[in-house]
Amino acid sequence: MKLLDGKAISKELREELAAEVKEMVGKGERPPHLAIVLVGNNPASETYVNAKVKACKNIGYETSLMHFPADISQELLLSAIDELNENEDIDGFIVQLPLPAHIEDRTVIERVLPGKDVDGFHPINVGRMSLGLDSFVSATPGGIVEMIKRYGIETEGKHCVVLGRSNIVGGPMSILMRRNTYPGNCTVTIAHSRTQNLAEVCRSADILVAAIGKPEFVTADMVKEGAVVIDVGINRIDDASRERGYRLVGDVAFDPVAEKSSYITPVPGGVGPMTIAYLLNNTMIAARKRIGQ
Ligand code: GUN
């Protein structure tokens, strides 16, 4: 078993981006600028957003955090998005999800200009990605594909089972793995909570991507000997032995599954760091377009 070390690969990618920022600035261009919109005080969202801001600063990006109260009206939030769309000093921006219940995610996502949608959530970007055209690819699947590429894992003709069908992870992941390119050319199955014979379907996977949001859901009996296992889950489970009262586990029961896998991502330190690095990558793509590269 080999670990897919997302922390190390993310560092490699961030170093490449930092070098590109230096080069850009050396040529008299301003660095890439990512704006982040956060609504309310969801603790997990605050943690993610802080990590994104820090990652930007570490590689020399400019970053702006716009933090609105949970009771902001949808109208006001949409006008803030309009301003970001028009602001030429900002290359790309994201609106951290989930949003409070009185705000419609879909309306907000569709208000972001596709050219600034570095989350890759806008239907234009999702559609273009599905067609194999130039687009922003959402950061978690984009980061996973980057990791597969940098480890040189074979994908052609393999059976990839994606467990979970969310718009952010499972959906785009399945599209990327069936593309006619590398990484891709897989035979893809999307499995979910209503799938019959789920264990059997998972057992037929050469590459298993677990994005179902259930702690340690994938057990060793669901995994083929030699499979590549990618764990997207970040679940908090109570653990009185830890000072903070919980620990993080993935959607995969790591130890027993690791024994059967050829490659496996740890949690934490696997997919998570790649997600942030890939958001930085998307922001660089937006900045390159600004300077005509
Ligand atoms: N919430 C959980 N993951 C994400 C993400 O990748 N982008 C945004 N905007 N919100 C999220």
Side-chain angles (χ1 to χ4, degrees), residues 45 48 52 94-98 119 121 138-140 168 275:
S45 290
Y48 292 139
K52 290 172 186 178
I94 66 166
V95 181
Q96 187 66 27
L97 302 178
D119 253 335
F121 290 173
S138 82
T140 301
I168 297 182
T275 297

Side-chain angles (χ1 to χ4, degrees), residues 206-224:
D206 303 305
I207 301 170
L208 179 63
V209 181
I212 199 166
K214 293 184 181 162
E216 301 180 325
F217 180 83
V218 175
T219 45
D221 59 305
M222 296 167 76
V223 176
K224 183 180 4 185

Side-chain angles (χ1 to χ4, degrees), residues 108-120:
V108 168
I109 287 169
E110 293 188 17
R111 192 70 159 238
V112 178
L113 264 187
K116 289 199 172 186
D117 169 37
V118 287
D119 253 335

Side-chain angles (χ1 to χ4, degrees), residues 3 8 12 31 80 104 116 150 174 196 200-201 205 211 228 232 293:
L3 269 191
E12 198 178 286
E104 264 182 16
K116 289 199 172 186
R150 293 191 184 223
S174 66
Q196 289 183 356
E200 198 179 307
V201 172
V228 175
V232 183
Q293 282 182 350

